[in-house]
Amino acid sequence: MKVLVIGSGLGGLLSAAWLSREGHEVDVFERLPIIGGRFTNIEYKGFQLSTGALHMIPHGPTGPLGTLLKDLEADVKIVRSRPMTTIRIPTEKDAMDYTHGFQDIEFHDFRKHFSLLNRIKLAILITTTRTFPPKSGSMAHWCSKNLNQDWALKLADSFCGWALSLKAENVPATEVFEIIENMYRYSGPGIPVGGCQAVTEALINIISSHGNKIHTSTEVTQILVENNKAVGLVADGNEYRADLVISDIGHLETSRLYDTNALDTSAASYFTAIRKLRPSAGVKICLASNEPLIEHTGVLLTPYAQRINGIDEVTNVDPSLAPAGKHLIMAHQCVQWENIGRLEEEIDLGLRDLSEIFAGKEYEVLLIQSYSGEWPVNRSSSGSDLSNRTPIEGLYVVGDGAKGKGGIEVDGIALGVRTAINDILNSN
Amino acid sequence: MKIDERCVGCGQCTAFCPKNAIIVKGIARITTDCIQCKICMAYCPMKAIEESA
Ligand SMILES: Cc1cc2nc3c(=O)[nH]c(=O)nc-3n(C[C@H](O)[C@H](O)[C@H](O)COP(=O)(O)OP(=O)(O)OC[C@H]3O[C@@H](n4cnc5c(N)ncnc54)[C@H](O)[C@@H]3O)c2cc1C
Ligand code: SF4
Ligand code: SF4
C-alpha cells in the first residue's frame, strides 16, 4: 500500500513508523524545515528547549506512548518521575499565596489538607467515582458540589491546567476521572532521556531505515479526492498519488485541503462538530539556574499561584539538556480563552508567580513561549476529541485533534494512532 | 522583517535567529539587530513573518 502523511508531528511520525514496519511505502510531508511538530527540541543559548511539550510523557514508559514505542522497537529511554508529583502549599493556615512561606507535600498526601469530614467524603467519592463516574458536569462543578472547599478547586485547576491546559470548569468531570483511572492503570509521568527529540529521532530512524522519506520544507496544499475517496495530494505544486492519506494537522485544518461542497449532506454533522472544537491555550516559561529549583524528577504543582499550574526540572533526569552545571526548569500556565487577547498581562502574572514560588533563588528567564489557535497546547480540549475517520474514505486524522478516549497529550495521541492504524490495517 | 497578527508567540523564530534579533512575549517583535537574512520566516508555524516592503 502507498501512504501519504501530512505533517511530521508525533501523530504523523508514529503512524508513518508503524506502517513502514508493516512494509508499506510511506511519504511524510512537513511544511517546516524541522521534523517533530510541537514535540521536538530547539536549542537556545545551549539549552534544549522544545517546540511545545515540557519534555514529559504523561504516563511514562508504561503508558500508551511508551508501549507503542516499545512495540515499534523505537530506541528511546523514558525515565519514570519520582516522586510523581509534589504540591506546594502555604505554611500558614488560610494563607492564599506563597508570600509567607510554603512547604511541599507528596501528591498522595493531599487528602490530609481537607477537613476531616471532607477527607472521609473524598475517600468514599474517590472509590465510588472510580466505579461510578459522574455522568455530567465539569470538574469544577463536581468539586464545589461534593467538597465545597477552596483547596479542592485550586488543586483541580492546577492539575487540569498542567495536564490539559484548561480550567477545571472547562473539563468534564468524567474526563478527569478517566485520567485518574489511567494513572492507576498506566502509572505516572516520565521524561525521555534526550527530551522530546529523542522520541522524534527514534521514529525518524525507523521510517528511514525502511527506505521511506520525510520531505521537510514541503507544504501540502490540497488533498485529492475522487468519488469521495482520498487518492493523493499536492505538495509544493507536485501531485502525489496514493491508496491512503493520513493527516496530522487536525480535523479542521485538514478539511480546508479538500472541496467540502462536493460532499453529501450526511457529512454535515462532522463539519458542525469540527467547527466546535476549541484548542487549549497556554504559556510555557523556560528558566535557567545554577542550582536546582526543584529537587526531584516529577511535577511540582502550584495550586496557590495565580497563573502557574505546574513546573518540572528536566535536567534532574538528563543533565545534558542544559550546559554543564546549569539546570533547565519549565513552568506551564493555562490561558483561558477569554484571556488570549491579553497575553502579556497573563505572562506578567505568571512571572510574578515564579518570583514567589522561587523566592530567594536566582534564575534567568530564558524564553517565554505561548500557544493558541492553530498552534495550540492541544488541538481539541480533552473530552471533545473526534474519531480518526473523516467523511472521505481513505482519509484519516491523527494527532492531538483526534486523541483516544481518556488519553491525555502524547499518550492520547498514541491511543488515537493505535485505533487509526488498526482500523486501516483491518480494512485494507 | 514584519510580524503580523497570526503570531501566537511560540518563540520558534527566536531560537533560530542567528542575530538574537527577535524578542518574544505573547507576540514576537523584531529588533534593530535584524540583518534581513530571512531565516526566521521558514521556521514560523503560523506563517506570521513577512519581508518588510
Ligand atoms: C506549551 C506546551 C506544553 C506541552 N507539554 C506537553 C507535555 O509535557 N507532555 C505531552 O505529552 N504533551 C505536551 N504538549 C502537547 C504536545 O506537544 C502536542 O499534543 C503534540 O506535540 C502534538 O502532536 P501532533 O501529532 O498533533 O501534531 P503537531 O506537533 O502539531 O504536528 C503537525 C505538523 O504538521 C505540520 N503541518 C501543518 N500543516 C501542514 C501542511 N499543510 N503541510 C505539511 N505539513 C504541515 C506542522 O508544521 C507540524 O510540524 C504540550 C504542548 C505545548 C504547546
Ligand atoms: S531576518 Fe534573520 S536576523 Fe532578522 S529576525 Fe529573521 S532570522 Fe533574525
Ligand atoms: S515563530 Fe511565528 S508564531 Fe512563533 S513567535 Fe515567531 S513569529 Fe510568532
Side-chain angles (χ1 to χ4, degrees), chain B residues 1 3 15-17 21 23 25 33-34 39 43 47 50 52:
Chain B
M1 308 304 287
I3 290 177
F16 288 98
C17 170
I23 297 170
K25 188 183 173 192
D33 290 335
C34 170
I39 288 174
Y43 288 95
K47 294 192 193 167
E50 294 162 53
S52 27

Side-chain angles (χ1 to χ4, degrees), chain B residues 1 13 16-22 30 33-41:
Chain B
M1 308 304 287
C13 52
F16 288 98
C17 170
K19 290 285 158 190
N20 208 3
I22 309 176
I30 295 185
D33 290 335
C34 170
I35 54 161
Q36 313 284 335
C37 71
K38 295 187 242 173
I39 288 174
C40 53
M41 280 177 78

Side-chain angles (χ1 to χ4, degrees), chain A residues 45-358:
Chain A
K45 296 185 177 172
F47 291 82
Q48 294 297 322
L49 308 186
S50 92
T51 49
L54 300 121
H55 291 311
M56 203 166 236
I57 296 172
H59 297 295
T62 50
L65 178 62
T67 315
L68 182 52
L69 290 170
K70 219 172 270 155
D71 291 351
L72 298 175
E73 296 179 272
D75 187 17
V76 197
K77 184 167 184 251
I78 302 164
V79 179
R80 168 89 62 211
S81 299
R82 298 226 189 276
M84 176 171 91
T85 301
T86 57
I87 308 171
R88 183 155 296 187
I89 56 167
T91 17
E92 281 175 24
K93 204 174 172 290
D94 301 326
M96 295 309 280
D97 59 30
Y98 299 121
T99 45
H100 300 287
F102 49 75
Q103 66 182 105
D104 292 346
I105 58 166
E106 289 229 9
F107 191 68
H108 54 253
D109 285 341
F110 75 88
R111 291 186 189 90
K112 286 186 195 149
H113 295 270
F114 288 105
S115 67
L116 181 64
L117 179 65
N118 269 340
R119 237 180 289 160
I120 298 165
K121 246 166 91 177
L122 189 68
I124 298 167
L125 283 168
I126 283 181
T127 37
T128 54
T129 41
R130 281 189 66 203
T131 337
F132 308 104
K135 287 201 176 50
S136 62
S138 74
M139 188 60 199
H141 177 243
W142 186 90
C143 284
S144 60
K145 191 178 112 206
N146 292 294
L147 297 167
N148 192 23
Q149 202 170 329
D150 203 34
W151 152 250
L153 186 59
K154 279 191 187 308
L155 188 60
D157 270 336
S158 135
F159 180 77
C160 293
W162 171 265
L164 310 167
S165 212
L166 291 170
K167 291 285 272 189
E169 67 185 52
N170 294 319
V171 188
T174 42
E175 184 70 16
V176 177
F177 283 98
E178 182 88 26
I179 297 169
I180 294 173
E181 185 65 37
N182 280 342
M183 277 164 56
Y184 285 93
R185 191 184 300 156
Y186 304 125
S187 186
I191 293 174
V193 174
C196 302
Q197 190 158 4
V199 176
T200 307
E201 291 286 339
L203 294 170
I204 296 172
N205 285 340
I206 297 170
I207 296 163
S208 52
S209 71
H210 286 84
N212 289 324
K213 198 164 182 260
I214 303 171
H215 310 258
T216 50
S217 303
T218 309
E219 180 172 9
V220 175
T221 49
Q222 195 190 338
I223 295 170
L224 302 169
V225 179
E226 286 169 10
N227 301 321
N228 204 39
K229 187 178 181 327
V231 294
L233 52 75
V234 177
D236 265 7
N238 301 313
E239 223 181 88
Y240 296 80
R241 292 253 150 187
D243 303 297
L244 204 73
V245 176
I246 299 176
S247 169
D248 185 32
I249 66 172
H251 281 281
L252 188 63
E253 289 82 352
T254 303
S255 76
R256 292 193 193 125
L257 296 177
Y258 56 87
D259 182 11
T260 51
N261 294 321
L263 295 170
D264 64 37
T265 48
S266 66
S269 61
Y270 170 80
F271 293 109
T272 314
I274 64 175
R275 272 184 216 105
K276 275 200 202 134
L277 292 178
R278 289 190 97 180
S280 60
V283 173
K284 175 179 64 178
I285 303 181
C286 307
L287 307 178
S289 79
N290 293 324
E291 52 172 335
L293 298 184
I294 298 173
E295 304 286 341
H296 59 74
T297 54
V299 186
L300 172 69
L301 289 180
T302 51
Y304 286 84
Q306 280 201 64
R307 288 294 185 274
I308 300 291
N309 307 121
I311 310 169
D312 67 5
E313 183 165 319
V314 292
T315 37
N316 290 344
V317 165
D318 184 356
S320 76
L321 294 170
K326 300 269 183 188
H327 300 265
L328 174 59
I329 298 98
M330 294 172 154
H332 185 79
Q333 71 186 83
C334 143
V335 175
Q336 282 186 277
W337 292 302
E338 58 268 32
N339 290 335
I340 294 174
R342 308 188 300 125
L343 263 184
E344 289 208 43
E345 291 162 55
E346 288 293 300
I347 291 168
D348 284 333
L349 289 170
L351 290 169
R352 199 169 73 191
D353 282 342
L354 289 170
S355 67
E356 285 180 11
I357 294 166
F358 297 129

Side-chain angles (χ1 to χ4, degrees), chain A residues 31-34 42-44 51 219 343-344 347-348 367-372 374-375, chain B residues 8-12 14-16 20 22 24-27 29 42-47:
Chain A
R31 176 161 77 189
L32 298 175
I34 49 169
I42 38 178
E43 191 177 320
Y44 186 60
T51 49
E219 180 172 9
L343 263 184
E344 289 208 43
I347 291 168
D348 284 333
L367 194 62
I368 301 169
Q369 300 174 272
S370 27
Y371 299 82
S372 60
E374 292 187 19
W375 198 244
Chain B
V8 294
C10 72
Q12 204 140 298
T14 308
F16 288 98
N20 208 3
I22 309 176
V24 62
K25 188 183 173 192
I27 191 167
R29 289 185 191 88
Y43 288 95
C44 174
M46 296 301 293
K47 294 192 193 167

